[in-house]
């Protein structure tokens, strides 16, 4: 965590470890344009990651190794992310005239006011955000802290794959960074408030950005695994067969009406509920746009249904629209996986901060 906000000059490999897969992405940047140098997704064994915590370092490390081999990525330094729910962030005011080492000492001396864990069990970092509204030479400092064990398990997994854990970031910051690549794709004037809904296998995360900055994040236990379980129950399939059929097709004719459409309605309901939580806890009562991310967002006609029911313009996230691709990258696979690569993309972009 000590390198959370540091600037990096060498290429970083974005390594996104979710509950069901590992996604790796390597970018380069030349003449104002990004290029995808390498990427791969590798499924994880069941229960290797439980509720966003790694429970089997070796299994995750093996998946990263396989993804590295398939992608032929050249970067050896990894940028990792921890879930927002695992991180405490706090903006504190400090005297802007303090030297960096003096500010670091004071922040760490006062950190126990903001962090409900013993400080010896915590990894933390801080960054000056800018002048405080209070004036008097005060500045706003963003403090981020996470249980050391959460960071160490991720670090151990990438080191098992012979990578150096160079940066540990926060998923919400990664989403915010990757949104820079999507913002230009949104149609309309004066788009200020955007809801990014990342629907993964087991977790749905709502991130609300206002003028490009994250102002709200909330996680809910809901994801594409529910559709897999619905298929298993309806057609008596095993989990692997249900997962494969969900992606490749071949299910009975009533699948669309009896299974997929009810699931789409459930997704819309979850998005609506997440937005209501946001409205009730902020001064906002609407958003200008919804961006759907995560693997589940690729389900046919989901964006159309969200837009129709909620009355808010909705698109599927693809941060790679204006990027070139190296010869190692399969364009069709990348396009298919694009919505699930927002965090990996935000991590890889740390190379150019």
């Amino acid at each position: 965590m000590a390198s959370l906000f540091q600037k990096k000059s060498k290429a970083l490999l974005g390594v996104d470890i979710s509950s069901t897969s590992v996604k790796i992405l390597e970018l380069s940047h030349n003449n104002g344009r990004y290029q995808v140098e390498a990427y791969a997704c590798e499924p994880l064994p069941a229960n290797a990651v439980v509720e966003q915590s790694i429970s089997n370092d070796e299994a995750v490390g093996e998946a990263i190794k396989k993804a590295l081999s398939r992608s032929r990525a050249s970067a050896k330094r990894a940028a990792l992310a921890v879930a927002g729910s695992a991180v405490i962030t706090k903006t504190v005011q400090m005297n802007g005239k303090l030297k960096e080492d003096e500010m670091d000492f004071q922040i760490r001396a006062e950190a126990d006011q903001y962090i409900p864990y013993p400080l010896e069990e915590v990894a933390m970092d801080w960054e000056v955000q800018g002048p405080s509204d209070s004036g008097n030479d005060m500045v706003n400092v963003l403090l981020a802290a996470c249980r050391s064990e959460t960071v160490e398990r991720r670090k151990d997994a990438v080191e098992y794959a012979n990578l150096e854990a160079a940066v540990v970031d926060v998923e919400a910051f990664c989403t915010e960074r990757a949104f820079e690549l999507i913002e230009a794709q949104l149609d309309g004037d004066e788009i200020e408030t955007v809801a990014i809904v990342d629907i993964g296998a087991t977790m749905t995360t709502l991130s609300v950005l206002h003028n490009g900055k994250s102002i709200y994040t909330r996680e809910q236990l809901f994801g594409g695994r529910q559709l897999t379980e619905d298929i298993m129950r309806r057609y008596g399939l095993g989990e692997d067969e249900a997962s494969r059929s969900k992606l490749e097709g071949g299910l009975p004719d009533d699948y669309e009406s009896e299974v997929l459409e009810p699931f789409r309605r459930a997704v819309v309901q979850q998005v609506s509920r997440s937005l209501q939580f946001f409205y009730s806890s902020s001064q906002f009562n609407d958003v200008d746009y919804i961006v759907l991310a995560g693997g589940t967002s690729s389900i046919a006609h989901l964006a159309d249904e969200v837009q129709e029911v909620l009355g808010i313009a909705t698109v599927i996230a693809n941060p790679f629209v204006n990027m070139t691709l190296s010869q190692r990258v399969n364009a069709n696979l990348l396009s298919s996986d694009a919505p699930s690569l927002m965090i990996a993309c935000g991590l890889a972009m740390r190379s150019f901060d």
Side-chain angles (χ1 to χ4, degrees):
M1 202 76 169
S3 56
L4 171 58
F5 295 118
Q6 287 179 16
K7 295 183 185 299
K8 296 293 170 183
S9 55
K10 294 182 181 177
L12 289 168
L13 185 70
V15 180
D16 175 24
I17 302 168
S18 71
S19 59
T20 57
S21 66
V22 167
K23 307 168 194 75
I24 66 171
L25 180 72
E26 182 180 356
L27 300 176
S28 61
H29 192 249
N30 293 299
N31 300 320
R33 193 171 188 186
Y34 288 103
Q35 174 162 303
V36 181
E37 295 294 343
Y39 110 96
C41 299
E42 185 67 32
L44 285 170
N47 300 318
V49 177
V50 179
E51 294 182 0
Q52 300 177 315
S53 296
I54 293 176
S55 56
N56 188 334
D57 309 357
E58 190 173 319
V60 176
E62 283 291 348
I64 296 171
K65 272 188 177 180
K66 289 179 182 177
L68 285 170
S69 176
R70 288 198 6 253
S71 70
R72 292 178 289 161
S74 59
K76 298 300 179 187
R77 303 167 73 251
L80 310 167
V82 292
S85 57
V87 180
I88 296 165
T89 57
K90 181 78 176 177
T91 301
V92 298
Q93 292 191 346
M94 304 287 294
N95 187 333
K97 291 184 177 180
L98 291 174
K99 295 178 181 177
E100 184 173 336
D101 57 345
E102 294 172 330
M103 193 174 286
D104 186 74
F105 179 82
Q106 187 170 334
I107 287 170
R108 293 179 188 277
E110 298 176 3
D112 58 357
Q113 298 177 42
Y114 316 112
I115 300 168
Y117 310 123
L119 292 185
E120 61 270 18
E121 297 177 9
V122 170
M124 64 180 178
D125 197 12
W126 56 271
E127 181 181 66
V128 175
Q129 300 290 287
S132 167
D133 292 338
S134 64
N136 300 322
D137 296 320
M138 301 296 281
V139 293
N140 290 324
V141 177
L142 177 63
L143 172 67
C146 179
R147 295 292 289 265
S148 299
E149 182 185 8
T150 302
V151 174
E152 288 300 322
R153 297 300 292 262
R154 277 167 159 68
K155 183 171 175 282
D156 290 346
V158 298
E159 288 178 351
Y160 183 90
N162 300 316
L163 294 172
E164 174 196 348
V167 171
V168 179
D169 210 327
V170 180
E171 288 182 357
F173 298 162
C174 299
T175 299
E176 178 184 313
R177 199 174 298 116
F179 176 69
E180 297 171 16
L181 305 172
I182 292 172
E183 195 168 12
Q185 301 171 35
L186 307 185
D187 294 327
D189 299 323
E190 298 182 12
I191 298 170
E192 296 181 342
T193 311
V194 176
I196 301 176
V197 186
D198 191 318
I199 312 164
T202 60
M203 192 75 68
T204 295
T205 304
L206 169 65
S207 300
V208 181
L209 277 59
H210 184 68
N211 293 327
K213 296 297 180 184
S214 181
I215 58 169
Y216 178 89
T217 302
R218 188 176 189 275
E219 298 170 357
Q220 282 183 260
L221 271 173
F222 175 85
R225 182 170 174 77
Q226 181 174 318
L227 178 58
T228 304
E229 291 171 352
D230 292 345
I231 294 170
M232 290 165 65
R233 278 194 299 270
R234 178 81 182 183
Y235 304 114
L237 301 178
E239 184 172 349
D240 289 346
E241 193 176 358
S243 298
R244 191 166 57 251
S245 299
K246 181 173 72 172
L247 296 172
E248 299 173 3
L251 288 163
D253 292 342
D254 67 353
Y255 168 64
E256 174 81 28
S257 60
E258 297 299 319
V259 180
L260 187 57
E261 179 53 33
F263 178 74
R264 274 197 295 253
R265 288 198 297 269
V267 172
V268 174
Q269 188 176 35
Q270 288 293 330
V271 174
S272 177
R273 188 175 298 158
S274 294
L275 288 172
Q276 291 306 319
F277 275 116
F278 165 62
Y279 299 147
S280 65
S281 62
S282 71
Q283 75 270 32
F284 295 86
N285 54 25
D286 62 9
V287 296
D288 300 317
Y289 237 99
I290 295 173
V291 176
L292 298 181
T296 304
S297 67
S298 298
I299 288 174
H301 311 303
L302 181 59
D304 295 337
E305 192 151 337
V306 170
Q307 179 167 314
E308 182 179 344
V309 174
L310 301 185
I312 303 169
T314 303
V315 296
I316 305 293
N318 185 347
F320 309 111
V321 166
N322 295 313
M323 292 192 193
T324 55
L325 309 182
S326 79
Q327 292 182 338
R328 288 176 287 178
V329 175
N330 182 310
N332 290 332
L333 280 177
L334 180 67
S335 178
S336 174
D337 289 332
S340 66
L341 291 167
M342 283 283 283
I343 290 170
C345 188
L347 285 167
M349 289 170 71
R350 283 294 300 265
S351 301
F352 318 107
D353 280 356

